[in-house]
């Protein structure tokens, strides 16, 4: 799987850090203690600025001067368009319009600190840059847990934030609960709520803090609801056949496949879908984390089989595709 982690030729380091454990790509800096936001920026190689620079294009024809000399075509200013430029490497990152406001990397961390008020209790766990530095990401662990059952089946609460410098997207923050024993990302939409909040690039600390409070409220509300729902699901017993049926419904890619499943015509579904269901069902049956009291033969176990398939079994084109699928719900 391609990682696309930025490599800074000036420092000779990959722009990524994680706490205590190496990421799957094995790149970047490993630190033993949770850093402050200021330290995390440096560890992750995100201590650079981005500016907007006027955008020019080259004329396609040459002119003849008054004395008959050839004059090369002049550069032509492209109106209302700018290149975003990384100042430490002088690399262009993208093309944006005149109203685009750059959110610096430090501002993204300030936004994160505001979520829990001055950074108390928030633990920066990973951060990094992709490509030439046009997209950055931060993962932070929040205080407290979602506890399922009476044992050690606990889910940690994370907020993931990503923003871009190339005009391709807004600041995006996602509440991502992760079950410790299997590292499954247990994203779930509850009622009319979503686990993702998107915020336009804008200046002004007031709006950033207001949006930060909005996300924190979302995380608290979701985690409280999830704890109750997950614990209720551990009490709902399901057979292996029902687990497979639930997996089929959860992974169903389109209405045509759903109609075939409703008719009981499983032999008519695509081979790709059948193999996907087989892989997820196998994970449900043999994974060690599916044999716990909270998961074995329960609705919570069936749910974890689906999230575990996406996290631990499915193959992705690259790390960005995996991120989009698991965290952003794309």
């Amino acid at each position: 799987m391609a990682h696309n982690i930025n490599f800074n030729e000036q420092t000779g380091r990959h722009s990524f850090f994680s706490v205590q454990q190496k990421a799957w790509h094995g790149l970047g800096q490993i630190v033993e203690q949770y850093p402050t936001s200021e330290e995390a920026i440096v560890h992750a190689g995100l201590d650079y600025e981005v500016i907007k620079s006027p955008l020019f294009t080259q004329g396609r024809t040459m002119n003849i001067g008054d004395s008959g000399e050839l004059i090369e075509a002049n550069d032509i200013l492209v109106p209302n368009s700018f290149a975003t430029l990384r100042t430490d490497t002088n690399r262009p990152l993208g093309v944006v319009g005149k109203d685009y406001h750059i959110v610096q990397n430090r501002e993204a961390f300030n936004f994160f600190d505001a979520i829990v008020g001055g950074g108390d209790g928030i633990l920066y766990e990973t951060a990094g840059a992709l490509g030439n530095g046009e997209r950055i990401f931060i993962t932070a662990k929040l205080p407290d847990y979602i506890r399922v059952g009476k044992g050690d089946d606990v889910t940690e609460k994370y907020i993931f934030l990503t923003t871009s410098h190339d005009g391709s997207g807004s600041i995006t923050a996602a509440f991502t609960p992760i079950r410790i024993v299997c590292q499954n990302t247990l994203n779930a939409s509850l009622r009319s709520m979503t686990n993702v909040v998107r915020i336009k690039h804008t200046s002004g600390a007031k709006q950033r803090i207001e949006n930060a409070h909005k996300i924190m409220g979302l995380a608290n509300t979701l985690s409280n609801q999830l704890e109750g729902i997950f614990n209720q699901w551990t009490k709902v017993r399901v057979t292996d056949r029902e687990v497979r049926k639930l997996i089929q419904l959860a992974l169903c890619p389109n209405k045509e496949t759903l109609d075939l499943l409703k008719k009981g015509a499983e032999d008519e579904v695509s081979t790709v879908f059948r193999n996907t269901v087989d892989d997820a069902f196998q994970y449900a049956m043999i994974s060690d984390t599916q044999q716990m009291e909270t998961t074995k033969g329960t609705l919570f176990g069936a749910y974890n089989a689906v999230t575990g398939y996406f996290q631990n079994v499915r193959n992705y084109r690259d790390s960005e595709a995996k991120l989009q699928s698991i965290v952003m719900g794309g």
Side-chain angles (χ1 to χ4, degrees):
M1 184 189 300
H3 56 78
N4 200 29
I5 298 294
N6 171 251
F7 179 74
N8 189 325
E9 295 180 354
Q10 294 184 354
T11 63
R13 303 169 74 183
H14 283 92
S15 300
F16 177 83
F17 96 91
S18 60
V19 175
Q20 297 177 359
Q21 294 183 340
K22 283 187 177 182
W24 63 268
H25 46 66
L27 304 174
Q29 290 57 249
I30 311 300
V31 299
E32 291 302 316
Q33 303 296 326
Y34 285 99
T36 64
S37 58
E38 291 82 4
E39 293 168 339
I41 290 171
V42 176
H43 290 323
L46 300 180
D47 50 342
Y48 58 86
E49 298 284 316
V50 178
I51 62 171
K52 283 169 62 175
S53 178
L55 191 64
F56 292 86
T57 186
Q58 193 173 49
R60 300 181 66 86
T61 59
M62 301 185 71
N63 298 318
I64 300 177
D66 294 338
S67 302
E69 74 277 13
L70 290 176
I71 303 174
E72 292 187 5
N74 295 324
D75 288 341
I76 301 171
L77 177 67
V78 180
N80 300 321
S81 295
F82 297 83
T84 51
L85 192 70
R86 179 173 169 173
T87 57
D88 62 334
T89 61
N90 211 35
R91 281 187 175 272
L93 302 179
V95 176
V96 298
K98 63 182 179 64
D99 296 326
Y100 182 85
H101 178 82
I102 293 171
V103 176
Q104 300 292 350
N105 297 342
R106 292 185 183 278
E107 292 182 284
F109 276 89
N110 290 340
F111 167 93
F112 237 127
D113 283 341
I115 291 175
V116 290
D120 293 336
I122 198 166
L123 301 174
Y124 290 100
E125 197 155 282
T126 64
L130 302 178
N132 291 318
E134 65 270 16
R135 179 171 291 277
I136 72 162
F137 59 90
I138 309 165
T139 303
K141 184 161 61 175
L142 297 176
D144 204 5
Y145 299 91
I146 298 171
R147 188 170 295 276
V148 180
K150 300 177 181 179
D152 297 326
D153 197 347
V154 295
T155 295
E156 293 180 321
K157 301 187 295 185
Y158 286 83
I159 289 183
F160 176 89
L161 182 144
T162 182
T163 186
S164 64
H165 297 304
D166 59 0
S168 63
S170 56
I171 300 173
T172 302
F175 171 63
T176 58
I178 298 178
R179 186 173 173 234
I180 295 175
V181 294
C182 56
Q183 292 299 295
N184 281 358
T185 302
L186 305 181
N187 280 345
S189 295
L190 302 177
R191 299 175 187 169
S192 61
M193 299 186 68
T194 174
N195 68 304
V196 178
V197 172
R198 291 178 173 85
I199 302 162
K200 292 182 179 180
H201 285 255
T202 181
S203 60
K206 181 178 179 181
Q207 183 171 353
R208 287 199 300 274
I209 292 173
E210 288 175 352
N211 286 322
H213 290 167
K214 179 180 178 182
I215 295 168
M216 189 58 195
L218 171 68
N220 284 334
T221 301
L222 275 175
S223 61
N224 290 338
Q225 292 186 10
L226 283 175
E227 184 165 271
I229 289 171
F230 288 165
N231 275 285
Q232 181 61 37
W233 285 355
T234 64
K235 301 172 185 177
V236 179
R237 308 301 301 179
V238 292
T239 64
D240 291 352
R241 184 174 181 178
E242 289 171 330
V243 169
R244 185 177 183 86
K245 191 69 175 178
L246 288 168
I247 290 173
Q248 287 178 327
L249 294 175
L251 300 180
C252 186
N254 50 51
K255 185 178 183 300
E256 290 74 19
T257 302
L258 180 60
D259 290 340
L260 290 173
L261 293 175
K262 287 180 177 179
K263 292 191 301 182
E266 294 186 20
D267 56 336
E268 298 181 31
V269 301
S270 71
T271 302
V272 172
F273 176 67
R274 191 179 301 115
N275 290 340
T276 298
V277 172
D278 287 344
D279 289 343
F281 183 70
Q282 184 180 34
Y283 179 86
M285 294 296 104
I286 67 175
S287 171
D288 290 342
T289 61
Q290 292 295 113
Q291 311 308 313
M292 299 174 65
E293 181 181 355
T294 53
T295 52
K296 186 174 178 62
T298 71
L299 183 58
F300 184 60
Y303 176 75
N304 269 276
V306 175
T307 60
Y309 164 76
F310 285 106
Q311 184 81 40
N312 303 313
V313 179
R314 182 179 176 181
N315 292 319
Y316 294 88
R317 180 180 68 256
D318 53 35
S319 58
E320 288 184 79
K322 184 174 184 178
L323 167 69
Q324 186 66 31
S325 175
I326 294 174
V327 177
M328 301 306 180

